[in-house]
Amino acid sequence: RNELGTSFMITRGLDNCIYAYPMHEWAKFEEKLASLPDTRSDARKFKRFFLSGAAQVDMDKQGRVLIPANLVDYGKLVNEVVTIGMQDKLEIWSKETWSQYQDMEIDMDEVAERMADLGI
C-alpha cells in the first residue's frame, strides 16, 4: 500500500487481472505507450487496451478502493480477490481466476528458455 500511495492508476491487465500502478510508474508506462507508432495496428490495439480502461482511484482512510464497474466486470471481481506484487505494479485477481491460473500446466523449463532469449 505504501508503494501505491493514496492515489494511483488502475487498468485492465493481461490474463484477466487488473493492474494497479503508482503514479510515477504509470507515467513511465504512458511514456512507453506514447513511443509506439500509431501507424501499426497492433500498437494501436495495445495502447487502446490499457488506456481505454484506465482510471485514477483514491484509497480511503481504511485502505479501500472503489474499482470502476468496467474493471470489476473485466477482472470478474465478484467476491474475494488476490493481490500479487509485480515489481512496478500490483495485480488484482479474482480468487477464482487466480486459482485457475495456478492450476494451469505451465512448462517452466520452456518459459525459462524463452526468457534466456530476452537476456534473463
Side-chain angles (χ1 to χ4, degrees):
R1 287 185 188 172
N2 291 338
E3 279 293 314
L4 280 176
T6 57
S7 184
F8 54 93
M9 295 297 293
I10 59 175
T11 191
R12 289 182 292 200
L14 303 175
D15 302 314
N16 283 98
C17 72
I18 306 300
Y19 288 167
Y21 286 90
M23 295 306 280
H24 67 279
E25 292 295 342
W26 178 255
K28 291 179 193 176
F29 184 57
E30 275 191 316
E31 284 180 32
K32 290 177 185 178
L33 292 177
S35 72
L36 297 174
D38 284 338
T39 54
R40 289 192 50 170
S41 170
D42 57 348
R44 290 190 309 272
K45 289 174 186 173
F46 191 77
K47 290 197 290 191
R48 285 181 191 129
F49 177 79
F50 291 108
L51 296 176
S52 67
Q56 184 173 340
V57 295
D58 298 311
M59 201 177 295
D60 70 12
K61 292 178 183 177
Q62 294 179 331
R64 299 174 300 188
V65 173
L66 182 61
I67 298 175
N70 63 318
L71 295 177
V72 169
D73 291 343
Y74 173 78
K76 301 174 186 152
L77 306 178
V78 181
N79 293 317
E80 296 180 73
V81 300
V82 176
T83 56
I84 310 296
M86 289 292 289
Q87 294 179 312
D88 62 342
K89 63 186 161 288
L90 185 73
E91 292 183 346
I92 304 168
W93 292 76
S94 78
K95 188 173 182 180
E96 182 179 338
T97 304
W98 176 247
S99 293
Q100 291 169 356
Y101 179 81
Q102 287 185 303
D103 289 343
M104 290 173 48
E105 294 278 333
I106 298 174
D107 184 347
M108 285 309 297
D109 290 333
E110 182 182 325
V111 171
E113 285 179 23
R114 286 185 294 207
M115 293 302 102
D117 293 341
L118 296 175
I120 294 180

